[in-house]
Amino acid sequence: GLEMEEKKTRLIEFGRFAERNRKERGDGKPETFTFLGFTHYCSHGRTGKFRVKRKTSKKKASKEKQGNKCYDKRYEIPTHKPDSKEAE
């Protein structure tokens, strides 16, 4: 069957009431967690209701940037700056 890795498993306070509970204890903002390439964090919508927001994890974003360096160099569009004589 499936087993949980103790080093990678921990309980975090996350959800609708985490911000209020942590603020009462003086712990600051609720923790974030990374799952399937996204960092999940607590936030509020425009109306003030609780929302879980996601952003690309730093690890995934850095891998994408490394992969795009080759692409950028090969397909770079040359920029032409007019000489001072051509501008006149």
Side-chain angles (χ1 to χ4, degrees), residues 16-73:
R16 207 165 128 193
F17 303 108
E19 186 175 11
R20 183 185 65 202
N21 294 342
R22 291 177 66 85
K23 196 173 194 177
E24 288 174 1
R25 291 193 309 263
D27 287 343
K29 293 182 178 181
E31 294 183 62
T32 62
F33 64 94
T34 303
F35 181 67
L36 296 176
F38 293 95
T39 301
H40 297 71
Y41 61 99
C42 296
S43 185
H44 300 280
R46 292 180 186 171
T47 60
K49 289 187 177 182
F50 172 78
R51 292 181 70 182
V52 174
K53 288 196 172 181
R54 296 163 196 87
K55 60 184 173 183
T56 306
S57 69
K58 290 181 181 181
K59 185 177 177 182
K60 186 176 177 183
S62 67
K63 281 186 177 181
E64 287 179 12
K65 284 181 183 179
Q66 286 175 352
N68 286 340
K69 284 181 184 176
C70 296
Y71 177 84
D72 291 342
K73 288 178 183 175

